Amino acid sequence: MDGPDFGNVSDDTDLVEVEPQKRQEILENKDVVVQRVHFEGLGRTKDDLIMPEICDVFKAKNLIEVMRKSHEAREKLLRLGIFRQVEVLIDTCEGEDALHNGLDVTFEVTELRRLTGSYNTMVGNNEGSMVLGLKLPNLFGRAEKMTFQFSYGTKETSYGLSFFKPQVGKFERNFCLNLYKVTGQFPRSSLRETDRGISTEFNFPIWKTSHTLKWEGVWRELGCLARTASFAIREESGHSLKSSLAHTMVIDSRNSTILPKRGALLKINQELAGYTGGDVSFLKEDFELQLNKQLSWDSVLSTSLWGGMLVPLGDKPSSIADRFYLGGPTSVRGFSMYSIGPQSEGDYLGGEAYWAGGIHLYTPLPFRPGRGGFGDLFRTHFFLNAGNLCNLNYGEGPRAHIRRLAECIRWSYGAGIVLRLGNIARLELNYCIPMGVQSGDRICDGVQFGAGIRFL
């Protein structure tokens, strides 16, 4: 054959070209057996807690599976919240009973201290708080946790003591007991509320859904925040005792809880008060639906729909502490916080029924500054929000209810910048144009800032 001379092709050259592929085939196809799993660093942790988390490692058939299942076991162990660090070592077996293809897997763990403390800040729905906490992790050796937390915020101060107990082998099934005192201020309603209560929760999964059953008993004290409070607020002042049963179901397939690019969320909550004691009786239903679709150019189209209804049971009207509120940078943008719906002398009273919907188009920042780094935390978005909040006459039929909810719809549109704070919260700086404004509504025409964990 004629042609340029590139030199003789040696056997070494052939091996270099196929070596990565052959090595991968050897790792994937070679049968191995995990003979032993060791733990180093265990102190007060019980063996029956960690065995279900690492049992899948023994089912691995080749080295690639051993590595993957060991990594999955490591993530499960960290999820328990009892280890500060978990490292994995894989080695060949040694000893008289060692097989020629046997492996030993060793987990080197560092347990958390018996008492830990924390100091941090927390972002709520347009509210910031300073949080001090004390924690007793792995209290009895099976991932139990006792936590005391003090929170001081711009509008709310709270104390809380909680005990958390997961089911061994099924961390998603857990029980929680809470004792708390919360004092909150609501300037838009000239209201101050102090809650002292106890609650129990049981969380468990069913197929692709997660469920929470909750009982809560709370002694509530309502008072006026200012001397100029309306008569309606003064009428609500006083003490009440609420005992309620609640159930929450969540289906969440989103890839992120703050700025998802795909997936859907459905959350349905029901609360029944009065049948387990107390002097407050009502049935409360609300839901949240969100759909996300990734488009071209790294854009995302997101739609949300919220709704809820409160039905008083008995002769007493509903309490201002149980009603729904709407408006603000986390719901219908362009309106002030909780400033939509019934009001008396400038104090907003909330409503017994509401709905709110939104459409968002999220896009990357122009010219992609800081791509692959800090710039990926920012998104621009264009939005259209709408909603309504009112009281219903439950003697009327469903058509009358729908007609009332469809009257006097508030809506707004605009654009802004979104900053993602990890996978916990987000900040928004928007330019809003409110429309459909009704008498008594407070608007924010122009620039509006919002911070929170739950946005429409």
Side-chain angles (χ1 to χ4, degrees):
M1 296 177 62
D2 296 330
D5 185 9
F6 292 104
N8 295 329
V9 181
S10 66
D11 293 339
D12 292 339
T13 305
D14 293 337
L15 288 175
V16 170
E17 291 181 359
V18 299
E19 184 178 2
Q21 183 177 356
K22 286 186 175 181
R23 182 178 299 172
Q24 183 71 15
E25 291 177 356
I26 292 173
L27 291 176
E28 291 181 352
N29 298 329
K30 183 178 179 180
D31 293 334
V32 298
V33 176
V34 177
Q35 286 191 259
R36 290 182 290 266
V37 174
H38 305 275
F39 272 85
E40 296 182 2
L42 286 183
R44 60 187 183 277
T45 304
K46 307 299 182 182
D47 293 342
D48 59 348
L49 174 68
I50 60 177
M51 285 302 296
E53 309 300 331
I54 56 95
C55 62
D56 286 344
V57 176
F58 289 100
K59 300 177 183 178
K61 300 300 183 183
N62 56 61
L63 187 55
I64 296 296
E65 285 190 11
V66 173
M67 296 171 63
R68 185 176 68 251
K69 291 186 179 296
S70 298
H71 176 73
E72 293 174 355
R74 176 180 178 273
E75 295 299 317
K76 291 180 181 179
L77 292 172
L78 289 172
R79 181 192 59 176
L80 295 175
I82 61 176
F83 299 119
R84 185 168 64 249
Q85 187 175 1
V86 178
E87 300 292 340
V88 184
L89 299 176
I90 302 175
D91 200 356
T92 56
C93 281
E94 296 181 358
E96 297 180 356
D97 60 342
L99 301 176
H100 70 281
N101 61 344
L103 295 178
D104 283 350
V105 179
T106 301
F107 291 90
E108 296 181 354
V109 301
T110 304
E111 293 182 336
L112 292 174
R113 297 177 180 177
R114 293 184 179 272
L115 177 63
T116 63
S118 62
Y119 166 80
N120 50 55
T121 57
M122 182 174 62
V123 178
N125 285 332
N126 234 38
E127 180 183 4
S129 302
M130 177 191 69
V131 182
L132 301 175
L134 293 176
K135 184 189 301 182
L136 298 171
N138 206 14
L139 191 58
F140 304 117
R142 291 185 173 88
E144 303 89 353
K145 180 172 60 178
M146 182 79 76
T147 304
F148 172 78
Q149 185 170 283
F150 166 72
S151 173
Y152 179 80
T154 54
K155 300 176 184 176
E156 184 177 282
T157 302
S158 65
Y159 307 83
L161 180 66
S162 64
F163 175 76
F164 173 82
K165 175 68 173 73
Q167 181 179 341
V168 174
K170 296 181 179 179
F171 189 76
E172 295 81 6
R173 294 178 179 268
N174 53 73
F175 171 81
C176 190
L177 175 66
N178 302 288
L179 298 171
Y180 61 88
K181 176 185 177 182
V182 181
T183 301
Q185 298 180 358
F186 307 93
R188 296 298 182 189
S189 301
S190 299
L191 182 70
R192 181 182 66 252
E193 179 179 354
T194 301
D195 294 346
R196 305 171 181 87
I198 178 173
S199 67
T200 59
E201 295 182 16
F202 178 53
N203 301 283
F204 58 95
I206 297 180
W207 193 45
K208 295 183 179 181
T209 66
S210 60
H211 298 257
T212 299
L213 293 177
K214 179 180 179 179
W215 172 82
E216 181 181 34
V218 54
W219 168 27
R220 305 184 299 191
E221 181 182 357
L222 302 180
C224 298
L225 188 61
R227 294 182 178 180
T228 57
S230 64
F231 179 76
I233 297 298
R234 298 178 185 275
E235 207 174 23
E236 294 274 359
S237 300
H239 298 265
S240 64
L241 182 63
K242 184 184 82 168
S243 175
S244 67
L245 295 171
H247 168 255
T248 302
M249 182 193 74
V250 178
I251 304 174
D252 193 352
S253 62
R254 300 173 298 173
N255 66 321
S256 172
T257 57
I258 301 301
L259 279 175
K261 293 186 176 181
R262 60 184 179 275
L265 167 70
L266 175 61
K267 183 177 182 180
I268 302 175
N269 183 72
Q270 306 95 30
E271 183 180 7
L272 177 64
Y275 280 81
T276 55
D279 55 2
V280 177
S281 298
F282 62 83
L283 175 63
K284 192 175 185 179
E285 300 272 349
D286 64 276
F287 73 92
E288 178 181 351
L289 176 65
Q290 184 185 103
L291 302 174
N292 302 280
K293 175 67 175 179
Q294 189 167 10
L295 307 176
S296 58
W297 305 102
D298 199 21
S299 300
V300 177
L301 180 65
S302 178
T303 60
S304 300
L305 180 64
W306 298 354
M309 182 174 293
L310 172 68
V311 182
L313 303 177
D315 299 331
K316 294 182 64 176
S318 61
S319 170
I320 191 173
D322 299 313
R323 297 176 194 142
F324 300 104
Y325 293 86
L326 191 62
T330 60
S331 57
V332 182
R333 296 161 179 81
F335 292 81
S336 298
M337 200 71 178
Y338 302 150
S339 63
I340 291 178
Q343 55 95 22
S344 174
E345 301 176 30
D347 293 333
Y348 293 90
L349 308 177
E352 296 176 344
Y354 87 103
W355 69 270
I359 299 177
H360 294 258
L361 177 62
Y362 296 98
T363 62
L365 289 177
F367 311 112
R368 302 302 296 272
R371 185 174 184 179
F374 184 71
D376 286 344
L377 300 178
F378 291 87
R379 308 282 287 183
T380 56
H381 78 134
F382 305 89
F383 62 86
L384 173 64
N385 297 153
N388 196 10
L389 176 76
C390 62
N391 292 319
L392 300 178
N393 183 356
Y394 293 100
E396 302 174 346
R399 290 185 178 180
H401 297 168
I402 295 174
R403 184 171 60 252
R404 180 165 295 185
L405 286 170
E407 294 175 348
C408 305
I409 295 177
R410 285 82 164 179
W411 61 283
S412 65
Y413 65 94
I417 298 177
V418 180
L419 170 62
R420 175 171 57 88
L421 300 177
N423 205 29
I424 302 173
R426 81 188 207 188
L427 307 178
E428 286 189 5
L429 183 63
N430 300 317
Y431 188 86
C432 309
I433 302 176
M435 306 293 289
V437 181
Q438 305 299 316
S439 176
D441 295 343
R442 295 183 185 178
I443 63 173
C444 186
D445 190 2
V447 177
Q448 187 177 39
F449 174 78
I453 57 178
R454 180 175 178 257
F455 283 80
L456 179 65

